[in-house]
Amino acid sequence: MASIYGFTIKNIKTFRGREWDGRQGDIYYNGKKVGWYNNDGNGGCADIDFFGTLENRQWFENKLSQATKEYFTRFPLEGEYSIITPDNEMLLSALCDLIADEQTYKRYLKKGKTFMVTFEEGYKHQLAVCETDKVFAMVDAIEGATEVRKYRSLQDFEIK
C-alpha cells in the first residue's frame, strides 16, 4: 500500500470544491489510525487533526513534519513551485496523489503494462504506461516535464 515514511491515508473521498478537487480521509501511521485529513478544495488550508492527548497529537505532528522534510529533500519541488517551502499539507496532498497513482498502476498492471510514468507538462498532469521501460526515455525527452515519477513495481509506492 502506498505510504510515505510510515504515513498513509485510507478511505479517501474525492469531491469537487470551488477551486480544485477536495479530498478527505483517515490518516494512518505504521498501520494505526491516528488522525483525519480534509482538504475541502475551496482555496483555504487543509485540516490535519490527530487523535489523542495533546502530547500524542504533538508527537504525530512532529513525525509528519520530519516526514515532510525528508520527502521534499528527496523529491524537491520543481519549476515555479521550487520557491515554496513545503509543509505538512503538501506532503499529505502528495500522499493522496501517490495513492491515486498506485490505483492507476494496479489497473494497468492487470493489462500487462508494468512501467508507468506520471509527470506535469505545463499545468496538465500526464500519464504514460508501457510494457517496457522505453516509456521512461520518452518522458525524459519531453522538454519542460516536471515532477516526473517513474514506477516499475508496487514497491515504488512505499517511500521509506
Side-chain angles (χ1 to χ4, degrees):
M1 171 170 234
S3 66
I4 297 176
Y5 299 111
F7 285 96
T8 193
I9 300 177
K10 296 182 181 180
N11 304 318
I12 296 176
K13 306 282 188 272
T14 303
F15 50 90
R16 186 73 189 140
R18 287 188 209 121
E19 299 289 328
W20 54 74
D21 285 345
R23 298 182 207 162
Q24 59 185 213
D26 300 317
I27 302 171
Y28 283 73
Y29 182 69
N30 291 335
K32 180 181 177 191
K33 185 175 176 179
V34 296
W36 184 70
Y37 169 72
N38 178 47
N39 181 340
D40 61 16
N42 291 333
C45 296
D47 300 312
I48 303 170
D49 295 318
F50 290 108
F51 304 143
T53 64
L54 177 61
E55 293 81 20
N56 195 44
R57 294 192 311 260
Q58 287 175 333
W59 189 86
F60 283 115
E61 186 72 31
N62 290 339
K63 285 304 256 184
L64 185 61
S65 295
Q66 180 183 358
T68 298
K69 184 177 179 180
E70 290 179 31
Y71 178 81
F72 286 106
T73 297
R74 188 169 165 190
F75 303 104
L77 294 172
E78 299 177 44
E80 63 187 26
Y81 300 108
S82 63
I83 62 171
I84 298 173
T85 301
D87 60 14
N88 293 348
E89 288 182 47
M90 293 175 76
L91 179 74
L92 293 182
S93 178
L95 178 55
C96 287
D97 291 342
L98 184 69
I99 292 166
D101 285 350
E102 181 184 42
Q103 291 170 346
T104 302
Y105 182 81
K106 285 179 178 178
R107 282 196 309 269
Y108 283 105
L109 192 59
K110 289 178 183 177
K111 298 176 183 179
K113 299 181 187 291
T114 56
F115 297 91
M116 183 175 96
V117 182
T118 63
F119 60 98
E120 300 293 323
E121 187 177 21
Y123 290 101
K124 296 180 90 179
H125 187 72
Q126 304 287 346
L127 169 73
V129 294
C130 195
E131 293 89 3
T132 68
D133 63 358
K134 290 181 183 178
V135 70
F136 297 155
M138 292 170 24
V139 171
D140 289 341
I142 297 173
E143 195 170 316
T146 60
E147 297 184 41
V148 178
R149 301 286 185 258
K150 299 176 180 180
Y151 305 108
R152 295 171 180 83
S153 72
L154 287 172
Q155 285 76 32
D156 291 338
F157 296 95
E158 293 181 35
I159 298 171
K160 299 177 183 179

